[in-house]
Amino acid sequence: MQADVELLRNAYDAFARRDLPAVLDIMHPDIEWVIPAGASFGGVHRGHVSAVRKVLMSAPADGNAFRTEPEEFLEAGGAVVVLGNHRGRVGGDGAEFEIPFAHVWELRDGLVVRCRSYVDTAQLNAVLAAGPSHP
C-alpha cells in the first residue's frame, strides 16, 4: 500500500504541473471516476478520455486560479483516501477560496481503477462559474 500512496503523491504533483500524460500513466484505460451529481461535470465517467480528461481539465488552467492541494494520504483497506483542499483566486476581485475535498482511490496492479470524489458541489460550481482572477 505504501507504493500506492507514493504513486498518488506523484500523480498530484504531476497534476499541479499540468502534466496530463504523467497523470494518465497511472490510470487504468477503463478507469471509473465518480463525481457528485451536483457538480457541473458530475456523474460517473469512464475511460481516459471521457473521465480523466473531462474531470482534470475542468479546473481552470491558471494554477493561481485553482490548485488541488492534498494534505493527508490514508491507507484504507485496499484504497487510499486523500484529504485536502482546492484553493485559489477567482473573479475580477481575485477573491480567495478554499474547498475541502476527499478522494477515494482504488488501485489494482499499480494503476488507478476507480476514484470517488467528495466535495461541496455548490461551492465548487460557484468557483468555476466565477472564472480565474485577472490582475
Side-chain angles (χ1 to χ4, degrees):
M1 285 294 284
Q2 190 58 36
D4 291 344
V5 169
E6 192 59 32
L7 187 79
L8 289 169
R9 284 184 192 279
N10 291 336
Y12 279 96
D13 289 344
F15 177 67
R17 296 188 312 271
R18 299 297 197 246
D19 183 352
L20 188 58
V23 175
L24 291 174
D25 281 348
I26 70 153
M27 306 290 174
H28 189 279
D30 295 323
I31 184 174
E32 178 180 271
W33 203 301
V34 182
I35 304 295
S40 60
F41 52 92
V44 177
H45 307 281
R46 288 184 174 79
H48 278 142
V49 174
S50 65
V52 179
R53 288 183 189 274
K54 184 173 187 175
V55 172
L56 296 182
M57 300 318 287
S58 65
D62 177 356
N64 291 322
F66 194 97
R67 298 181 313 278
T68 298
E69 299 177 351
E71 295 173 0
E72 293 181 69
F73 291 77
L74 309 167
E75 297 176 62
V80 176
V81 177
V82 179
L83 304 175
N85 287 286
H86 298 300
R87 291 189 174 100
R89 295 179 178 275
V90 294
D93 63 356
E96 292 186 20
F97 68 87
E98 178 177 293
I99 307 170
F101 70 80
H103 296 153
V104 180
W105 299 92
E106 296 173 30
L107 294 94
R108 185 174 55 238
D109 300 325
L111 294 174
V112 176
V113 295
R114 186 172 195 227
C115 178
R116 288 175 285 155
S117 178
Y118 300 91
V119 65
D120 180 329
T121 58
Q123 249 189 317
L124 181 62
N125 288 340
V127 163
L128 294 176
S133 64
H134 299 285

